[in-house]
């Protein structure tokens, strides 16, 4: 392959989710509401975790970072997709396409490692409770978050290196709502077999290894709790079942799309919605609304900002203006 990109394609056409005008109007409203809920819900989690001293613990520190990644993951393509529902010509520039590939692999790779970090936190808390404070120190939590961003960055750079020099000289229609790497390589003016192998090696190994680690940690946690108490087992299983649901919805589509990129299916773009939109909205529900401490802290913050202020609580300038 030449080192200089020989592309003559300056933009790509995104087919989106549907060509039906009625469905596009419905999708515009539906995904607009979802996106607002994702951003506001995850922002509320970040504000709650940072402002409430009782939540300054490793678990909530990682949860706050997960919410930040979720906002980023939902924002790399969703606003563009929502705008395209009202646009007749759904196009994206070549550089914009590469930017979407960069960000999707940065955020998904980072989230995979972050989910593993959260599973490790629960493993230490349940299986090694006496050493929890020492093992999960603030320094360790910071290192885990830095590792997640580093893995995501290295992962996306390696993926982008497969794409940036591909020659695109013919078809420029992408059957998706964003520039997806497996679909984009199909449009290159060369045999993409080697590129697809590299995609499998890169994304496939990352997805399968982190997923296997998560499943293994959950099994160890359940076995440990099962020997302790049947009541604790039921409570832990209820919590982990919800976590496993989110993990399956996130990892399942990723593994399906990127471990077998040789053949693209119409269902691929539907599966892509799960890890770009549905997972960022499920994480706040699963990891937050089922948590008693988190709900209490959120209620306290919402009550503080929404309840009517007493005159004694108002700033002096405002009080003077009332008289």
């Amino acid at each position: 392959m030449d080192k200089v990109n020989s592309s003559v394609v300056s933009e790509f056409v995104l087919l989106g989710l549907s060509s039906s005008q009625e469905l596009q109007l419905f999708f515009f409203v539906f995904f607009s509401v979802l996106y607002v809920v994702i951003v506001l819900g995850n922002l509320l989690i970040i504000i709650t975790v940072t402002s409430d001293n009782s939540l300054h613990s490793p678990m909530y520190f990682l949860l706050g970072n997960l919410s930040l990644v979720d906002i980023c993951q939902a924002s790399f393509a969703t606003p563009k997709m929502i705008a395209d529902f009202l646009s007749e010509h759904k196009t994206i520039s070549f550089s914009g396409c590469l930017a979407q590939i960069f960000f999707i692999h940065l955020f998904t790779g980072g989230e995979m490692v972050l989910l593993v970090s959260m599973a490790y936190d629960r493993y230490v808390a349940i299986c090694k409770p006496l050493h929890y404070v020492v093992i999960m120190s603030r320094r360790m939590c910071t290192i885990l978050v830095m590792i997640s961003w580093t893995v995501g960055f290295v992962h996306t750079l390696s993926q982008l290196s497969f794409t940036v020099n591909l020659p695109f000289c013919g078809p420029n229609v992408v059957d998706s709502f964003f520039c997806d790497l497996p679909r984009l390589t199909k449009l290159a003016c060369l045999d993409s077999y080697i590129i697809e192998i590299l995609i499998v090696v890169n994304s496939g190994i990352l997805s399968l290894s982190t997923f296997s680690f998560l499943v293994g940690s959950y099994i160890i946690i359940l076995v440990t709790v099962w020997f302790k108490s049947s009541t604790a087992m039921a409570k832990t299983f209820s919590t982990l079942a919800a976590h496993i649901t989110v993990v399956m919805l996130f990892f399942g589509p990723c593994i399906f799309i990127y471990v077998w990129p040789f053949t693209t299916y119409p269902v691929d773009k539907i599966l892509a919605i799960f890890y770009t939109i549905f997972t960022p909205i499920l994480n706040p529900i699963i990891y937050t609304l089922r948590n008693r401490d988190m709900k209490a802290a959120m209620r306290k913050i919402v009550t503080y900002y929404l309840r009517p202020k007493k005159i004694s609580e108002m700033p002096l300038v405002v009080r003077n203006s009332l008289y």
Side-chain angles (χ1 to χ4, degrees), residues 14-28 84-88 90 269:
L14 301 174
L15 294 184
L17 297 179
S18 172
S19 58
S20 168
Q21 191 65 32
E22 293 77 12
L23 277 178
Q24 291 196 55
L25 290 174
F26 168 76
F27 285 150
F28 173 78
D84 282 346
F85 287 135
L86 301 180
S87 175
E88 190 172 339
K90 303 173 177 62
K269 57 184 175 181

Side-chain angles (χ1 to χ4, degrees), residues 8 73 76 101 115 132 165 173 200 220 261 267 273 278 290:
V8 296
Q73 187 167 305
F76 88 96
I101 293 174
L115 288 172
Y132 180 76
N165 287 322
V173 178
V200 170
I220 293 173
V267 74
I273 294 176
F278 287 157
R290 293 170 58 90

Side-chain angles (χ1 to χ4, degrees), residues 49-68:
V49 169
T50 55
S51 61
D52 195 309
N53 291 330
S54 64
L55 300 181
H56 290 177
S57 65
M59 181 178 73
Y60 296 111
F61 175 77
L62 295 174
L63 177 61
N65 280 276
L66 179 65
S67 292
L68 175 61

Side-chain angles (χ1 to χ4, degrees), residues 175 183 256 260 263-269:
D175 188 14
R183 292 181 181 273
F256 182 85
W260 294 283
T263 305
T264 56
Y265 303 94
V267 74
D268 284 358
K269 57 184 175 181

Side-chain angles (χ1 to χ4, degrees), residues 240-251:
L240 291 185
H243 293 190
I244 292 172
T245 301
V246 174
V247 168
M248 291 296 295
L249 289 175
F250 177 70
F251 279 89

Side-chain angles (χ1 to χ4, degrees), residues 12-207:
F12 293 95
V13 177
L14 301 174
L15 294 184
L17 297 179
S18 172
S19 58
S20 168
Q21 191 65 32
E22 293 77 12
L23 277 178
Q24 291 196 55
L25 290 174
F26 168 76
F27 285 150
F28 173 78
V29 176
F30 178 72
F31 286 108
S32 295
V33 172
L34 274 186
Y35 182 65
V36 170
V37 172
I38 289 170
V39 173
L40 294 181
N42 283 288
L43 273 178
L44 180 59
I45 292 175
I46 295 172
I47 293 171
T48 303
V49 169
T50 55
S51 61
D52 195 309
N53 291 330
S54 64
L55 300 181
H56 290 177
S57 65
M59 181 178 73
Y60 296 111
F61 175 77
L62 295 174
L63 177 61
N65 280 276
L66 179 65
S67 292
L68 175 61
V69 174
D70 282 338
I71 292 176
C72 296
Q73 187 167 305
S75 300
F76 88 96
T78 306
K80 164 72 175 166
M81 178 186 70
I82 293 172
D84 282 346
F85 287 135
L86 301 180
S87 175
E88 190 172 339
H89 303 287
K90 303 173 177 62
T91 60
I92 185 172
S93 66
F94 185 85
S95 57
C97 193
L98 292 182
Q100 285 194 339
I101 293 174
F102 174 84
F103 287 119
I104 181 60
H105 290 284
L106 172 66
F107 300 137
T108 53
E111 178 155 346
M112 287 179 185
V113 180
L114 197 55
L115 288 172
V116 170
S117 300
M118 295 178 70
Y120 176 71
D121 171 75
R122 292 300 83 204
Y123 163 77
V124 175
I126 294 174
C127 300
K128 301 180 182 294
L130 298 180
H131 302 91
Y132 180 76
V133 177
V134 177
I135 296 175
M136 295 303 297
S137 62
R138 175 53 66 99
R139 181 173 176 272
M140 173 58 74
C141 292
T142 304
I143 290 174
L144 290 174
V145 171
M146 290 177 63
I147 289 175
S148 69
W149 283 104
T150 301
V151 171
F153 187 70
V154 172
H155 170 63
T156 194
L157 282 184
S158 61
Q159 293 288 68
L160 202 62
S161 67
F162 304 152
T163 314
V164 69
N165 287 322
L166 285 177
F168 297 96
C169 53
N172 66 336
V173 178
V174 180
D175 188 14
S176 185
F177 61 93
F178 70 97
C179 286
D180 202 6
L181 188 55
R183 292 181 181 273
L184 198 66
T185 55
K186 297 289 184 183
L187 303 179
C189 301
L190 48 69
D191 185 2
S192 61
Y193 180 79
I194 300 300
I195 301 296
E196 291 170 338
I197 290 292
L198 294 174
I199 292 173
V200 170
V201 171
N202 195 315
S203 294
I205 289 179
L206 178 62
S207 301

